[in-house]
Amino acid sequence: SLGISAVLIVIALGSFGLQGLNFGIDFRGGTTIRTQSTEPVDIGTYRGAMDGLELGDISITEVFDPTFGEDQNVAMIRIQAQDDQESVSAAVIQTVEEALQVAVPDVTFTSVESVGPKVSGELIQTAVIAVILAIGAVLIYIWMRFEWQFAVGAVVALVHDVVLTIGVFSEMQIQFDLAIIAALLTIVGYSLNDTVVVFDRVRENLRKYKQKPLSEVLNLSINETLSRTMMTSVTTLLALLALYFLGGDVIRGFVFAMIWGVIVGTYSSIFVASTVLLWLGVKRDWSKPDANAGNQFANIDA
């Protein structure tokens, strides 16, 4: 299992190094145009009006703005910065507005906001720090609750999940934006939950079966929690699949990251974290940590 994980990690790192990520507007910079009209927002009509402009990544979402009251049809259009410019030029914005007015004659443009490359660079740095701090907090939590061997196993599993998720986004060149960072942090929490369930059963069985080899205890613990793990993952996937196919383009990237994260998170909780724990070893008597150290009769009743 670790061999498969190692190959996938190498592929993920190779893809990230060779072609990088397809950053969205949040990280690349761009312009957001907010519109309002008397007609209901038809995202297909809006997108069709701009398809021929060759502006690259365009995100269109219908939003609720309380300042417009109940009878509102407000859309938010996000256009990525062009390759040879730091931000979307005024001429490009005017071209977009003219194209939209042809498709939706009564459309009005209530605001235009730009995100420059400096802000985008700060967002990337902040996102990386957020993921690292989350994994660091997990390391401390597991270390305090169990032992350092468990903490290392859990963190290796989490890093495995994050790296493979970033790798699949790099390999498939799916848009990577702030929503994906939220998905990564959610994946960290989900995977940790599965891992802690397995580790808690391992700790119980280490107390119960003091003479069994660690490999047998791990195998028993995984089998005892397997049905719970699989039922949790399958029910979560059912909800995510419904969102992926019926939720629209706006959340599709986030939901794809969650689907992939649930799959690799379940895999890592069962195979990666436990294998690392087996390599590192762990103490066997949890009820009295060091009371019988060096005592030849310590395990006579086990």
Side-chain angles (χ1 to χ4, degrees), residues 126-174:
T126 305
V128 172
I129 292 173
V131 175
I132 292 175
L133 288 178
I135 294 177
V138 167
L139 174 66
I140 296 172
Y141 167 73
I142 300 296
W143 195 329
M144 294 176 63
R145 178 168 176 178
F146 296 97
E147 291 287 322
W148 69 267
Q149 296 96 329
F150 289 84
V152 171
V155 168
V156 169
L158 294 182
V159 172
H160 166 276
D161 299 343
V162 171
V163 169
L164 290 190
T165 302
I166 293 175
V168 78
F169 270 79
S170 173
E171 184 67 30
M172 300 178 67
Q173 286 296 288
I174 302 172

Side-chain angles (χ1 to χ4, degrees), residues 28 46 48 62-63 85 103 108 115 118 130 145 167 226 254 258:
R28 187 181 294 173
Y46 281 53
E62 184 176 4
V63 298
Q85 299 175 354
T108 57
V115 178
K118 182 179 180 181
R145 178 168 176 178
L226 188 59
F254 173 84
M258 288 298 301

Side-chain angles (χ1 to χ4, degrees), residues 16 21 23 27 124 126-132 134-135 138 157-170 175-192 253-262 264-265:
F16 180 77
L21 292 168
F23 287 116
F27 296 125
I124 295 175
T126 305
V128 172
I129 292 173
V131 175
I132 292 175
I135 294 177
V138 167
L158 294 182
V159 172
H160 166 276
D161 299 343
V162 171
V163 169
L164 290 190
T165 302
I166 293 175
V168 78
F169 270 79
S170 173
Q175 182 180 312
F176 193 91
D177 52 25
L178 282 178
I180 309 307
I181 298 299
L184 287 176
L185 294 174
T186 307
I187 290 167
V188 167
Y190 183 92
S191 178
L192 175 64
F254 173 84
V255 176
F256 175 81
M258 288 298 301
I259 291 172
W260 175 259
V262 167
V264 297

Side-chain angles (χ1 to χ4, degrees), residues 34-106:
R34 185 182 289 259
T35 70
Q36 185 189 14
S37 66
T38 57
E39 301 177 8
V41 174
D42 186 337
I43 293 177
T45 301
Y46 281 53
R47 188 175 295 279
M50 294 183 289
D51 277 345
L53 302 180
E54 298 181 354
L55 297 177
D57 177 34
I58 297 177
S59 172
I60 305 171
T61 56
E62 184 176 4
V63 298
F64 175 77
D65 191 335
T67 60
F68 291 107
E70 294 182 0
D71 297 328
Q72 58 172 311
N73 299 290
V74 180
M76 184 175 291
I77 302 167
R78 308 172 74 186
I79 308 167
Q80 72 176 32
Q82 307 303 297
D83 293 335
D84 57 346
Q85 299 175 354
E86 289 190 352
S87 61
V88 177
S89 66
V92 171
I93 294 173
Q94 183 177 356
T95 302
V96 171
E97 291 179 350
E98 290 173 353
L100 286 173
Q101 284 174 334
V102 172
V104 186
D106 69 332

